[in-house]
Amino acid sequence: VPRMTLEGWTESSFTHDGSTYPTYRRGSGPGVIVVHEVPGITPKVEAFANEVVDAGFTVVLPSLFGTPGVPQGLGAITKVITRVCISSEFVTMRAGRTSPITRWLGALADELHGELGGPGVGALGMCLTGGFALGMMVTGPVVAPVLSQPSTPFPVTPRLRGDLNLSPADLGVVKDKVAAGCQVLGLRYKGDPAVGSRFDTLRRELGDGFLAVELAGKGHSVVTEHRDEAAVQRVLAFFREKLT
């Protein structure tokens, strides 16, 4: 796999339950895991992650697919989507299932929290990984979960449009944690078809524990390609409130 170095980031890797992925780390302060969108850690994903670093956090960027540093483009997206759809780590076309990769991410969060201490870690996923912070809450010490335009499973049927990429048991764990005070922040453009009806499901299942930031228009990538400044500032404020 071709690799590019992200300037100023320390490259390492993390292994859990037989799965190993590269990680990039930078910063100091409480831990935040930023999970990239398709096709990978693009320059705009890295730029957002650097903003989180500058806001006073230790950020870990796992590289789950794609080549770090490659910009978003149709060719790169097509290649990665094809690979992700056949990977057993990602559940993209079935309802009521948790993507197994969230267990690996939860273990990564656990290690980071063990090292840094504090109330827990923050986690933000986007697009295909948008709902992963929920899965990470099940096994990891995630106390500041952010869902940016959660788009899996792909919204091709009414049931999949509203599905949270969680098994019923995992949804139960998330609901218990939210009932105990853990809030979940969600971001989306109102006209984004990729999000489906998931925000309705989140409101129904999590009640007042779900904080929705809904932007006008048909954009998609709230913190990267179609960045909304106020939404980014809301995320940073959420991390500060929950982690410091």
Side-chain angles (χ1 to χ4, degrees), residues 18 38 48 69 76 80 89 93 99 102-103 131 137 157 167 176 178 181 201 208-209 218 226:
V38 173
F48 168 73
V80 165
E89 294 275 44
M93 296 293 285
S99 282
T102 60
R103 297 296 193 249
M137 284 171 71
T157 67
S167 68
D176 287 347
V178 170
T201 308
D208 292 342
K218 287 194 182 308
H226 313 120

Side-chain angles (χ1 to χ4, degrees), residues 155-176:
V156 290
T157 67
R159 188 171 174 211
L160 292 174
R161 277 172 59 78
D163 190 79
L164 299 181
N165 205 208
L166 290 173
S167 68
D170 286 351
L171 176 58
V173 174
V174 168
K175 288 173 75 164
D176 287 347

Side-chain angles (χ1 to χ4, degrees), residues 17 36 40-41 44 67 108 124 151 163 168 191 202 220-221 226 232 235:
D17 202 19
H36 60 79
I41 304 174
K44 289 192 176 175
T67 304
L108 178 66
L124 178 144
S151 307
D163 190 79
L202 287 160
H220 174 62
S221 299
H226 313 120
V232 170
V235 171

Side-chain angles (χ1 to χ4, degrees), residues 58-191:
T58 301
V59 175
V60 175
L61 272 172
S63 181
L64 304 182
F65 44 76
T67 304
V70 172
Q72 199 172 72
L74 192 58
I77 289 172
T78 307
K79 198 161 121 187
V80 165
I81 283 283
T82 307
R83 195 175 305 140
V84 165
C85 285
I86 59 171
S87 163
S88 61
E89 294 275 44
F90 302 88
V91 176
T92 58
M93 296 293 285
R94 295 166 86 171
R97 301 285 178 92
T98 303
S99 282
I101 190 71
T102 60
R103 297 296 193 249
W104 182 91
L105 289 164
L108 178 66
D110 210 29
E111 182 183 72
L112 191 63
H113 181 235
E115 179 198 333
L116 299 174
V121 301
L124 178 144
M126 49 186 100
C127 174
L128 187 136
T129 70
F132 284 8
L134 293 178
M136 292 170 72
M137 284 171 71
V138 177
T139 55
V142 174
V143 298
V146 182
L147 320 182
S148 192
Q149 77 273 3
S151 307
T152 44
F154 300 142
V156 290
T157 67
R159 188 171 174 211
L160 292 174
R161 277 172 59 78
D163 190 79
L164 299 181
N165 205 208
L166 290 173
S167 68
D170 286 351
L171 176 58
V173 174
V174 168
K175 288 173 75 164
D176 287 347
K177 289 193 172 180
V178 170
C182 181
Q183 293 179 309
V184 175
L185 181 65
L187 318 165
R188 69 155 181 165
Y189 282 97
K190 285 184 180 173

Side-chain angles (χ1 to χ4, degrees), residues 1-12 22-26 41-43 46 50 61 63 67-70:
V1 179
R3 294 268 269 285
M4 294 169 75
T5 311
L6 301 183
E7 202 174 326
W9 293 77
T10 303
E11 186 183 352
S12 184
T23 59
Y24 296 85
R25 175 169 168 161
R26 186 174 194 181
I41 304 174
T42 64
E46 184 193 358
N50 275 320
L61 272 172
S63 181
T67 304
V70 172

